[in-house]
Amino acid sequence: MRTIDDLDVRGKRVLVRADLNVPLDDGGASAASDAVPESGGAGGRPPAVTRRITDDGRIRASLPTIDALRERGAKVIVCAHLGRPKGEVKPEFSLAPVARRLGELLGTEVAFASDVVGESASRIAGQLADGQVALLENLRFEPGETSKDDAERGAFADRLAALAELYVGDGFGAVHRKHASVYDVPRRLPHAAGGLIATEVGVLKRLTENVERPYAVVLGGSKVSDKLGVIDNLLGKADRILIGGGMVFTFLKAQGHEVGRSLLEEDQLDTVTEYLARAEKAGVEFVLPVDIVAATAFAADADHDVVPADAIPADRMGLDIGPASGRLFAERLAGARTVFWNGPMGVFEMEPFSHGTRAIAQGLIDSGAFTVVGGGDSAAAVRTLGFDEAAFSHISTGGGASLEYLEGKTLPGLSALED
Ligand code: ADP
Ligand code: MG
């Protein structure tokens, strides 16, 4: 894969596909005072900003490549998506707050185009001086970006590619998508991988080729159905798999325990049962929680108790792994040389149910292993719970992308960069 070192970018317009899909609050009156409307940079007229970024990790992760291109005298045109506006212009999904934050972090003005490939984008792209940066409006305001129809996607890719002379793919969080900005544009312009993608791919290789053993994987999050592919693949690769989060209850139920009102995917019971059997055959250790924090409701102020994992009361829902499980999991991580973690252990967004996730994060740090955290919510959890990001070997910016890589799939955005 070519990197930006292999491109001569000086004086050239370089389209950078970044992943700036950050979590935002829901805006509203309380947020508005803190969110200053955009200046509009070189002439863009963005909508007034009312939503605030709650975690800017992905913006920060995009800085090194943008900075490197600026230093080399490129005219940098950044494009990215935010949320799922489904091909329509929806102001609540505007990238305007991201343009502002990106400018603050870069320490330079970021011109914000109020459209993706329209009049504003062309004008701003045309006016950039060497070393300047612009951000286009949300790619997913355009139906062509995510279209399954090759011709429709291609037509949009043509317009996007026309804004620039070179393409740098750096949106790792989107490389598993066959989208115009990820897959079709690099087939139309000379291209290279940005630093973030190069780093992410390097880390994923360490998790798939010549893994240092023991290799432990911690999986959590809300739905087991999101993670079936990765469990399937890891059954042949990992030495031990620790399960937490909402998916635990499908496993507990498969073992014959009642799970009350906890998250349960009945339609996955057979698959999960089969995984447990296969793991036993393959000598892969499955570690399930021994206790659960069971609450009366899905609310931060709900009554809750720690109960044995095989005795969840019928009127309770499990919202976190319990303290004994936290200790057990940390102990099972202690001897590992490589650890991959995806998915929070509980509803960490609510303080009473954040302790399991905290225990696992600490367990990773204390293990001294090569530790990789993957997944948008997991990465956000690490930061919002106050952990030092540098204490982990790598925090991936792409949940779905890293999972699909670990599933052994070909990622469209990576294959397009390799060609
Ligand atoms: P990631 O983005 O890291 O891949 P997921 O998106 O799979 O993680 O899951 C994150 C979500 O899982 C969090 O919002 C968290 O609240 C939720 N979650 C974790 N444990 C539970 C649980 N026991 N019940 C319901 N939701 C849960
Ligand atoms: Mg998530």
Side-chain angles (χ1 to χ4, degrees), residues 264-276:
L264 175 66
E265 289 176 89
E266 299 264 9
D267 54 340
Q268 304 302 344
L269 281 172
D270 290 346
T271 312
V272 162
T273 306
E274 189 248 324
Y275 285 169
L276 288 168

Side-chain angles (χ1 to χ4, degrees), residues 282-305:
V284 177
E285 183 191 2
F286 249 107
V287 187
L288 291 175
V290 291
D291 58 351
I292 294 289
V293 181
T296 52
F298 192 86
D301 59 359
D303 278 343
H304 56 273
D305 298 292

Side-chain angles (χ1 to χ4, degrees), residues 285-337:
E285 183 191 2
F286 249 107
V287 187
L288 291 175
V290 291
D291 58 351
I292 294 289
V293 181
T296 52
F298 192 86
D301 59 359
D303 278 343
H304 56 273
D305 298 292
V306 175
V307 301
D310 58 2
I312 300 173
D315 60 346
R316 295 283 182 113
M317 56 178 77
L319 296 183
D320 195 11
I321 61 169
S325 308
R327 287 191 296 272
L328 170 69
F329 283 17
E331 185 237 315
R332 302 312 290 142
L333 294 177
R337 299 292 302 277

Side-chain angles (χ1 to χ4, degrees), residues 46-386:
V49 176
T50 54
R51 300 183 74 189
R52 281 184 304 186
I53 296 162
T54 54
D55 178 57
D56 65 4
R58 282 179 165 165
I59 305 180
R60 289 177 185 276
S62 304
L63 298 176
T65 296
I66 297 173
D67 269 330
L69 290 168
R70 289 185 66 210
E71 265 164 39
R72 293 164 202 211
K75 303 169 170 45
V76 185
I77 304 163
V78 183
C79 64
H81 75 278
L82 183 69
R84 294 175 186 241
K86 306 217 164 119
E88 284 171 47
V89 178
K90 293 191 182 146
E92 67 271 30
F93 291 107
S94 173
L95 276 171
V98 172
R100 171 169 172 259
R101 187 77 190 117
L102 180 61
E104 284 169 7
L105 293 169
L106 286 170
T108 185
E109 193 179 5
V110 170
F112 182 66
S114 57
D115 54 29
V116 188
V117 288
E119 183 271 330
S120 174
S122 316
R123 182 165 37 80
I124 286 176
Q127 285 172 356
L128 281 180
D130 296 359
Q132 284 188 340
V133 183
L135 175 65
L136 306 179
E137 185 50 289
N138 192 342
L139 286 162
R140 293 192 187 168
F141 283 179
E142 290 284 341
E145 167 68 359
T146 58
S147 175
K148 298 245 185 304
D149 177 57
D150 289 347
E152 188 188 11
R153 229 181 39 247
F156 172 64
D158 286 340
R159 298 182 68 193
L160 199 52
L163 294 172
E165 295 147 280
L166 300 171
Y167 173 90
V168 170
D170 210 30
F172 180 72
V175 288
H176 58 314
R177 307 287 185 201
K178 194 176 175 184
H179 290 169
S181 66
V182 176
Y183 177 74
D184 303 272
V185 177
R187 303 168 92 202
R188 286 162 167 77
L189 292 174
H191 54 260
L196 180 61
I197 283 193
T199 304
E200 295 272 11
V201 170
V203 167
L204 287 167
K205 288 218 160 107
R206 265 183 88 170
L207 296 179
T208 45
E209 297 163 17
N210 309 315
V211 191
E212 271 197 74
R213 297 184 179 280
Y215 176 22
V217 175
V218 190
L219 293 174
S222 46
K223 287 160 67 193
V224 69
S225 49
D226 291 345
K227 319 257 161 123
L228 291 175
V230 77
I231 299 174
D232 196 347
N233 204 278
L234 287 169
L235 277 174
K237 306 220 159 64
D239 298 301
R240 86 182 47 120
I241 302 179
L242 289 60
I243 303 280
M247 69 167 78
V248 149
F249 306 101
T250 306
F251 279 89
L252 290 174
K253 181 85 181 181
Q255 291 188 326
H257 307 303
E258 290 308 320
V259 297
R261 288 159 57 220
S262 309
L263 211 63
L264 175 66
E265 289 176 89
E266 299 264 9
D267 54 340
Q268 304 302 344
L269 281 172
D270 290 346
T271 312
V272 162
T273 306
E274 189 248 324
Y275 285 169
L276 288 168
R278 245 169 70 203
E280 194 169 336
K281 242 185 174 169
V284 177
E285 183 191 2
F286 249 107
V287 187
L288 291 175
V290 291
D291 58 351
I292 294 289
V293 181
T296 52
F298 192 86
D301 59 359
D303 278 343
H304 56 273
D305 298 292
V306 175
V307 301
D310 58 2
I312 300 173
D315 60 346
R316 295 283 182 113
M317 56 178 77
L319 296 183
D320 195 11
I321 61 169
S325 308
R327 287 191 296 272
L328 170 69
F329 283 17
E331 185 237 315
R332 302 312 290 142
L333 294 177
R337 299 292 302 277
T338 303
V339 182
F340 172 70
W341 171 32
N342 167 272
M345 295 292 100
V347 185
F348 73 94
E349 297 92 336
M350 303 176 190
E351 199 283 330
F353 315 116
S354 66
H355 302 271
T357 302
R358 193 181 285 284
I360 291 315
Q362 192 61 49
L364 257 76
I365 294 171
D366 295 343
S367 72
F370 176 66
T371 52
V372 180
V373 184
D377 291 293
S378 312
V382 160
R383 286 188 286 265
T384 57
L385 295 177

